[in-house]
Amino acid sequence: MGCQLGKLASSERRSGEAVLNEGPPPKTDPRLPLTAKQKYSMVASWKGISRAMEKTGICMFIKLFEENEELLHLFEKFRELRTKEAIVSSAELAEHATQVMHTLDEGIKGLADMDSFFAYVRHVGGTHRQVPGFKAENFLKIEQPFLEAAKTTLGDRYTPNIENIYKLTIRFILENLVKGYEDGGNENEIQKQM
């Protein structure tokens, strides 16, 4: 009798699951280039990165400077660092890397509310107008270093599917940083004209 009840309960659970899975997938904001499932995977996977923010950020900046050494001059606090060892052990770089990772963290957490996401990320993009010599396209140079750092941090959890989701997400964030930077310039021009 106990065996029959177990089978009955098990079949009811399975049939209940089938009903739950039949409907259309939940909708995401149409401005977000991710499906609901991709967004869920991004947020779940990001937990692995958020536990190693400083390490991931330093790895990202090392890769950025290896590929774009000319960007070092933009960073007053660590432009004198010439060796990989000096960069790795720089407290200033660790601080900036952590700050950038927190910005990405806020952006990823903000994917649940696109209005807040756009306001936050574009504001951060606009603040970079204050950095002498900074150009909007510098934001885009962080994409590959970010993906490599995420792969290093996540290890085996960085599957081809997760890589695709991270590419979509980082590109979306970077494009909005650029938009914020560009819009910040337009606002400055408007204020000058008044």
Side-chain angles (χ1 to χ4, degrees), residues 6-159:
K7 285 182 185 174
L8 181 61
S10 173
S11 71
E12 285 176 5
R13 274 195 303 270
R14 275 196 299 270
S15 66
E17 287 172 11
V19 170
L20 290 176
N21 291 334
E22 280 179 10
K27 298 272 188 241
T28 59
D29 189 306
R31 299 172 291 179
L32 180 65
L34 301 174
T35 65
K37 186 176 181 180
Q38 287 174 319
K39 183 174 121 184
Y40 174 82
S41 295
M42 180 68 216
V43 171
S45 169
W46 185 253
K47 290 176 184 167
I49 301 283
S50 66
R51 287 191 287 269
M53 288 260 218
E54 184 177 299
K55 182 182 130 233
T56 304
I58 290 171
C59 179
M60 177 177 70
F61 271 95
I62 288 169
K63 292 178 184 312
L64 175 70
F65 293 142
E66 285 174 352
E67 296 170 17
N68 304 278
E69 192 176 322
E70 75 282 1
L71 293 181
L72 260 174
H73 80 277
L74 295 174
F75 298 91
E76 194 174 299
K77 291 182 179 175
F78 44 92
R79 69 172 61 142
E80 302 305 317
L81 304 175
R82 292 286 168 237
T83 66
K84 186 175 178 178
E85 293 73 27
I87 293 171
V88 170
S89 62
S90 166
E92 290 85 3
L93 177 68
E95 183 182 324
H96 187 74
T98 302
Q99 184 179 1
V100 169
M101 291 302 293
H102 280 291
T103 298
L104 293 174
D105 185 52
E106 287 299 316
I108 289 165
K109 288 176 183 172
L111 295 175
D113 176 357
M114 293 310 298
D115 292 330
S116 295
F117 168 86
F118 288 125
Y120 175 73
V121 172
R122 290 178 182 175
H123 168 75
V124 170
T127 64
H128 282 72
R129 285 209 156 265
Q130 300 165 4
V131 178
F134 192 89
K135 296 181 185 118
E137 60 265 17
N138 291 344
F139 285 123
L140 304 177
K141 293 177 180 178
I142 203 78
E143 181 178 352
Q144 273 313 116
F146 168 79
L147 293 170
E148 290 174 39
K151 182 177 183 176
T152 299
T153 299
L154 292 174
D156 295 345
R157 297 171 289 173
Y158 194 76
T159 63

